[in-house]
Amino acid sequence: MATSETEKSGPGVSVASTSEFSLFFRIKPGHASALREALRALQNTPGYQPGDYNLAIATIHEARFVPFDDDTRLLFATSFDGPWDAYMEDFLTSGSTLALFDAVFQHVEGYEGLPDLAALKAFILGAQRTAGGYARNYPGTVKEIRKALRVNNAFQRVLDDPAAADALQHPALKPLLDEAAD
Amino acid sequence: MSAPTATASLRLEHDDIQGGVLHQRPSPYVGTYLLLRIDDRRAGRELIRRLLPAVGSASASSDPAQDAWVTVAFTHQGLKALGVPKGSLDSFAPEFRQGMAARAAELGEAIWRQDCYQLPTGRTSFGFKDGIGQPAVEGSGIPASNPLERPIKAGEFILGYPDETGDLPPMPTPTVIGRNGTYIVFRKLHTRVAAYRRYLRDRAADRKEEALLGAKMVGRWHSGAPLVLAPDHDDPELGGDDTRNNAFLYGHDRRGLKCPAGAHARRANPRDALDEEGSVDVRLHRMIRRGTSYGPILPDGVLEDDGADRGIIFVFAGSHLKRQFEFVKTQWLNDGIFIGAPREQDPLVGRPAGNGAFTIPKQPIRRRLREMPPFVVTRGGEYCFAPGLGGLRWLAELTI
């Protein structure tokens, strides 16, 4: 697990630029199936379907909702670029994400609905727990990863060109040639 | 984005708001910052009583002949020394109660007196026209300089009115000290002009490229003309036209080919550049700035440091020290995560430790400046609170 490389960033733990953010809720009695239905609906929202890679918040790496303890509790866990606590008010005033999450939060205790921001902030902060361990397998923000993927896709297209082997012989391209063999 | 509204339904109490909060400083200007220590609460209150006639309200005439005023603000220690009751002292924002030194360990000595005056060029010591991108305040009656940005809710800058979240900003008690007041940040920023000029000179083929590199770092040309509207060369007519020099967005320049995402002005106010992110609402992070220049100009062309102290007195006014001043400083100026460049800081005011990098997007190949030394050194500063005129009278009349 990350130890020396992590640092406190508000109440979350971070590795390099990215911080973990986990919320634990209690599901209202009798709301378990409605909650699962809301999660299915969220999963079917454009941007959230497999292969869409277009979540409403562009600075999170991934996110999951996990009902547990016989559907009496709910975990929301994500990895966020930057210290998430600095952006709390921004989340609460950005309509797009909140509107999506509103349908889920209806089924957990302590949620009083939109748009009382003070209550909403207390609700979120009350559900947040800091990780006891947090590790990552790659550095970089979502923006950097997306850029890296675009660059690699472009590089693969270059390698598909029959003239690539000759072109990559130029000394300025040696770092690329070193990555070209496999 | 909807069209800006010239008049707002909300009425600001102009006659109770200190004039310096809502009104831009004149140009040219001279001024003095005085930091006074209050040893005797009665003497302190007497001072406020005598100052009151000199403190202009925001409704005062804008007659240039009367363009002189005093703005009065207090540190938390100052309010304590005046005998403000503990319940009131404890009701101020936590950042203000801690003070700037506690929020930033690197701050230096205190300022006692600092004269300031506009340089003959009308520009900063780095050579740029400044103070352009001020937010329009809803209900202030002051026209917006950027017709493409809706005026910001008054509560973002003046306590006692709804802010951008729809709520009232946290306000100290009693109401008379809080209402129509605002938090003030001032910082003395020494500019290392010779180091800045030398850095550019060493990396530019000629004076034209030097000006371009400088503009890319700032986001504007010397005249104030924004890169987005004048990407290739300075346009003094545009820079001098206050109806046009702030009328732009970054949406058509996502990659930063005109104005780099890391340029100072774009970092400090990204406008619509982050609208697609879903994680940041730039309207929560706007700042009223009332900066001025101090110290002599370094004559044009001089590349050796003359040892003179010169720079900028940075002054911020706003309702939220943390999510306005501290957010912009820590997330946008001292960090590059938000633009996908975590190793880069603001090219002008970032990286106190030096060794900075700055990427300039360019066709066909981007340019990356490296090994940037610090060009700005923070000498000191403090968090203050500027009450409304009624608040000043309340302080003057404290009896405990």
Side-chain angles (χ1 to χ4, degrees), chain B residues 120-187:
Chain B
T121 54
R123 298 173 179 178
T124 67
S125 50
F126 285 135
F128 292 85
K129 176 170 171 168
D130 70 335
I132 301 174
Q134 302 287 353
V137 182
E138 189 182 282
S140 70
I142 299 168
S145 62
N146 182 4
L148 304 171
E149 180 185 69
R150 255 186 309 123
I152 306 289
K153 295 285 181 199
E156 289 292 313
F157 308 107
I158 313 284
L159 302 187
Y161 305 89
D163 66 19
E164 283 288 328
T165 69
D167 291 335
L168 293 172
M171 193 167 89
T173 55
T175 302
V176 65
I177 184 81
R179 186 168 176 81
N180 293 318
T182 188
Y183 289 99
I184 300 281
V185 177
F186 80 86
R187 313 188 96 197

Side-chain angles (χ1 to χ4, degrees), chain B residues 112-378:
Chain B
W112 293 101
R113 174 184 175 143
Q114 181 63 62
D115 293 334
C116 64
Y117 52 88
Q118 195 167 51
L119 297 175
T121 54
R123 298 173 179 178
T124 67
S125 50
F126 285 135
F128 292 85
K129 176 170 171 168
D130 70 335
I132 301 174
Q134 302 287 353
V137 182
E138 189 182 282
S140 70
I142 299 168
S145 62
N146 182 4
L148 304 171
E149 180 185 69
R150 255 186 309 123
I152 306 289
K153 295 285 181 199
E156 289 292 313
F157 308 107
I158 313 284
L159 302 187
Y161 305 89
D163 66 19
E164 283 288 328
T165 69
D167 291 335
L168 293 172
M171 193 167 89
T173 55
T175 302
V176 65
I177 184 81
R179 186 168 176 81
N180 293 318
T182 188
Y183 289 99
I184 300 281
V185 177
F186 80 86
R187 313 188 96 197
K188 182 176 177 177
L189 305 175
H190 167 57
T191 51
R192 300 179 65 228
V193 178
Y196 165 81
R197 287 181 186 170
R198 228 175 18 249
Y199 183 85
L200 293 184
R201 180 65 56 88
D202 290 347
R203 280 152 187 84
D206 50 34
R207 295 300 289 265
K208 189 164 169 268
E209 190 182 18
E210 213 175 295
L212 177 69
L213 292 181
K216 292 286 188 182
M217 282 162 57
V218 171
R220 292 180 183 272
W221 297 91
H222 279 183
S223 74
L227 280 176
V228 162
L229 300 182
D232 301 320
H233 47 78
D234 200 354
D235 181 346
E237 200 182 313
L238 170 63
D241 184 347
D242 292 342
T243 66
R244 291 194 296 143
N245 64 19
N246 197 39
F248 66 94
L249 297 173
Y250 293 113
H252 296 296
D253 187 35
R254 292 258 180 242
R255 296 184 73 181
L257 289 164
K258 293 174 180 167
C259 179
H264 175 69
R266 184 163 173 168
R267 281 173 173 267
N269 177 18
R271 300 176 190 238
D272 63 335
L274 307 174
D275 283 2
E276 315 284 299
E277 313 260 310
S279 57
V280 59
D281 179 352
V282 295
R283 299 172 65 81
L284 300 182
H285 312 291
R286 300 290 274 116
M287 310 194 290
I288 284 179
R289 292 166 298 121
R290 293 286 178 258
T292 54
S293 287
Y294 73 90
I297 195 167
L298 186 66
D300 197 29
V302 175
L303 298 180
E304 291 304 316
D305 186 21
D306 61 357
D309 192 14
R310 61 174 57 83
I312 292 165
I313 303 292
F314 169 90
V315 175
F316 155 97
S319 302
H320 299 277
L321 289 172
K322 189 174 180 198
R323 76 163 158 79
Q324 292 173 325
F325 171 71
E326 291 188 353
F327 180 97
V328 171
K329 183 75 184 130
T330 61
Q331 303 306 307
W332 288 349
L333 298 177
N334 289 356
D335 207 316
I337 292 175
F338 80 112
I339 53 168
R343 283 162 296 279
E344 294 187 17
Q345 298 191 7
D346 186 274
L348 281 188
V349 303
R351 48 160 216 300
N355 196 25
F358 175 59
T359 304
I360 303 172
K362 182 170 175 268
Q363 304 278 21
I365 289 174
R366 62 102 176 109
R367 176 159 187 191
R368 183 163 287 161
L369 300 179
R370 299 174 200 277
E371 295 172 342
M372 302 174 90
F375 297 132
V376 171
V377 179
T378 304

